[in-house]
Amino acid sequence: MDDLDVFRSAFTSSGIDIERLIARAQQGDVKKRLIELTTDAVARGAFGSPTFFVGKEMFFGKDQLRDVEESIIEQNSQCVPKFV
């Protein structure tokens, strides 16, 4: 999304307060967190975008979204407490 008008339109049509989002993205704590998360991703082996981590497993590319979803479901099913 390198066209600001397209960016604004997409978020506005989704009901998101785009002006608030843009303002928040410029705040120091948000920029600091982005740097922290980017540094962590690179340390974990990320080399491009989009990269997704589920636990220690890395998925690269939007064509991997189905695998990401399946991995999340699998990990969540292992974490569900069993009551007797």
Side-chain angles (χ1 to χ4, degrees), residues 24-42 44:
R24 183 73 177 111
Q26 298 304 313
Q27 294 177 351
D29 62 318
V30 173
K31 289 184 176 189
K32 180 180 181 232
R33 185 68 175 140
L34 175 61
I35 291 169
E36 291 169 354
L37 292 172
T38 301
T39 300
D40 180 63
V42 170
R44 294 174 74 183

Side-chain angles (χ1 to χ4, degrees), residues 24-79:
R24 183 73 177 111
Q26 298 304 313
Q27 294 177 351
D29 62 318
V30 173
K31 289 184 176 189
K32 180 180 181 232
R33 185 68 175 140
L34 175 61
I35 291 169
E36 291 169 354
L37 292 172
T38 301
T39 300
D40 180 63
V42 170
R44 294 174 74 183
F47 53 88
S49 179
T51 298
F52 305 93
F53 290 96
V54 180
K56 294 181 179 181
E57 191 169 358
M58 181 175 71
F59 300 88
F60 176 74
K62 68 180 184 179
D63 58 321
Q64 298 296 310
L65 284 174
R66 184 71 179 145
D67 294 334
V68 170
E69 181 181 9
E70 289 174 3
S71 184
I72 290 169
I73 290 168
E74 180 182 324
Q75 286 191 22
N76 282 342
S77 69
Q78 294 171 3
C79 296

Side-chain angles (χ1 to χ4, degrees), residues 2 10 12 14 20-21 25 44 48-49 62 71 77-78 83-84:
D2 59 353
T12 301
S14 297
R20 182 173 175 227
L21 177 68
R44 294 174 74 183
S49 179
K62 68 180 184 179
S71 184
S77 69
Q78 294 171 3
F83 298 99
V84 180

